[in-house]
Amino acid sequence: MNKKDILGTLSILTVLISVIFFFIIRGPDANLILGVIVFAVLSVLGIIFAIASKKFWCILIGIILNGAVLIGAYFLLLAMGISEP
């Protein structure tokens, strides 16, 4: 495997780690701030890995999937802000 393939794989792996982390921390006692931080950091890293891979399909899939995670983290942060008194 060359460097481009490894970076593309890491981009998709960050999405999988985010999904697994989501199912691990769910529940009424979940620390939502930690979840938002982890989702945001992983998705930004995934987007950077996707762009650095310079392969069209890795860039396309990596940006779409990691962008969806980043948007989900934003909506979670927005919902936390609305629900607090």
Side-chain angles (χ1 to χ4, degrees):
M1 289 184 77
N2 59 11
K3 185 178 178 182
K4 291 180 182 182
D5 292 334
I6 293 172
L7 290 172
T9 304
L10 283 174
S11 173
I12 296 171
L13 188 64
T14 57
V15 175
L16 294 175
I17 292 170
S18 295
V19 170
I20 291 169
F21 184 76
F22 173 77
F23 285 116
I24 289 173
I25 68 159
R26 66 189 173 120
D29 298 330
N31 187 355
L32 294 179
I33 297 293
L34 175 68
V36 169
I37 291 171
V38 170
F39 294 145
V41 168
L42 283 175
S43 63
V44 168
L45 278 175
I47 290 171
I48 291 170
F49 288 149
I51 293 171
S53 72
K54 296 181 182 174
K55 293 180 83 174
F56 177 72
W57 291 110
C58 291
I59 292 173
L60 186 67
I61 292 171
I63 289 179
I64 289 173
L65 292 178
N66 285 301
V69 171
L70 191 60
I71 290 171
Y74 171 72
F75 282 137
L76 183 60
L77 187 63
L78 184 66
M80 286 173 32
I82 290 172
S83 67
E84 291 182 5

